[in-house]
Amino acid sequence: MVSPSDNQEQTLTLGLGFSSISSAKTKNPISGPGTKSCDHEPSLTLSLSGETYQTTTAVAAIERKVFVDQEPPCSVSVASSLSNVVSVKRERESASSDDLELERGSSRISDEEEDGCGPTNTPRKKLRLTKDQSALLEESFKQQSTLNPKQKQALADRLNLRPRQVEVWFQNRRARTKLKQTEVDCEYLKKCCETLTDENRRLQKELQELKTLKLGQPFYMHLPAATLTMCPSCERIGAGVPTIPGTPTTNSTPASKTHFTLGP
DNA sequence: TGCTTGTTTGCATTTACATCA
DNA sequence: GATGATGTAAATGCAAACAAG
């Protein structure tokens, strides 16, 4: 297995940190092993993708294809090169249950491969789902954003599609949902940012005004006389207090030198 | 019991095609 | 009709979870 640090991929992830995002990601108890339980935080990902190649993955992909192709004339060479793998797979196939059949149906294979020969002969043609198909898929997605193999197969039968197509549609649909949610969250954060910026600006302005005011007048000058108490130690409010409010003197530092307390 | 290996599945990213202005 | 933008089906690679040896 090649770790991400081994290849040239460099990924910069800006996480939004919204735990509520991707709420559609629910662990399906029926789907069994392979279902991830981790919650993917929403993130804006900027990635600089280098070339990555993973031998084990490639072999695994071939294995999957061989596993799925039942008697494919065009996969014989691959199968012969992986005879050990195939024999194991065949063993499992021979003892296959309904579930295994469904799993095979939901395995990752391209349309071309599923139809028989590999992608070398026919370039992939993009299928356009009909309105009815899309509607039914949407309806299913509303009920459940993930499908177990049986549900997938059932839906595929209803739609006259391959299970793989249903699987891909659900994957893309989940991606679209997440993208939309991210956009919504982004807008929300923008608004929050604007609000906080305005608030910050307002407070800065207020602070500046207060500072100006403080320089012009001692603080206690703005307070009612009843709220002031003479400091018992110095017995005065402060030294160098200007007689005329609003006319500061250089040596007037009432706030720092004056000992007074605010009354009740 | 911990480790290794293989399998399955979801997600992120990319590609390729269809449609529309 | 050519073209760029957009939407989306499909491909690819990776990681996580799990089971079995």
Side-chain angles (χ1 to χ4, degrees), chain A residues 1-3 52-64 82:
Chain A
M1 184 64 90
V2 179
S3 66
T52 58
Y53 184 75
Q54 202 167 15
T55 315
T56 54
T57 306
V59 172
I62 293 170
E63 287 174 15
R64 286 174 201 151
L82 293 161

Side-chain angles (χ1 to χ4, degrees), chain A residues 16-125:
Chain A
L16 288 178
F18 265 66
S19 58
S20 62
I21 305 178
S22 304
S23 57
K25 178 100 178 78
T26 54
K27 183 164 184 170
N28 193 337
I30 313 172
S31 61
T35 307
K36 278 193 262 187
S37 62
C38 65
D39 285 324
H40 289 257
E41 294 294 327
S43 60
L44 298 173
T45 302
L46 307 173
S47 63
L48 301 168
S49 302
E51 280 190 1
T52 58
Y53 184 75
Q54 202 167 15
T55 315
T56 54
T57 306
V59 172
I62 293 170
E63 287 174 15
R64 286 174 201 151
K65 291 169 189 173
V66 173
F67 183 31
V68 168
D69 293 335
Q70 305 219 351
E71 291 296 331
C74 54
S75 64
V76 170
S77 59
V78 180
S80 62
S81 66
L82 293 161
S83 56
N84 289 340
V85 174
V86 173
S87 63
V88 173
K89 307 285 186 186
R90 289 271 154 78
E91 260 184 41
R92 288 183 60 173
E93 257 186 278
S94 64
S96 67
S97 63
D98 288 343
D99 287 344
L100 188 55
E101 281 288 288
L102 289 176
E103 279 181 22
R104 280 194 300 133
S106 65
S107 293
R108 289 182 165 193
I109 48 174
S110 66
D111 295 342
E112 293 85 0
E113 286 152 1
E114 199 177 40
D115 289 342
C117 292
T120 51
N121 292 341
T122 54
R124 73 171 176 193
K125 283 288 173 188

Side-chain angles (χ1 to χ4, degrees), chain A residues 194-210:
Chain A
E194 283 171 12
T195 305
L196 286 172
T197 304
D198 286 348
E199 178 71 1
N200 187 42
R201 201 171 289 134
R202 189 185 65 76
L203 288 170
Q204 290 280 358
K205 193 179 170 186
E206 199 176 315
L207 181 66
Q208 194 59 44
E209 283 174 5
L210 286 171

Side-chain angles (χ1 to χ4, degrees), chain A residues 151-164 166:
Chain A
Q151 290 171 322
K152 196 191 301 173
Q153 181 66 57
L155 194 54
D157 288 342
R158 270 184 81 183
L159 293 164
N160 199 25
L161 293 171
R162 286 177 288 274
R164 171 66 181 157
V166 175

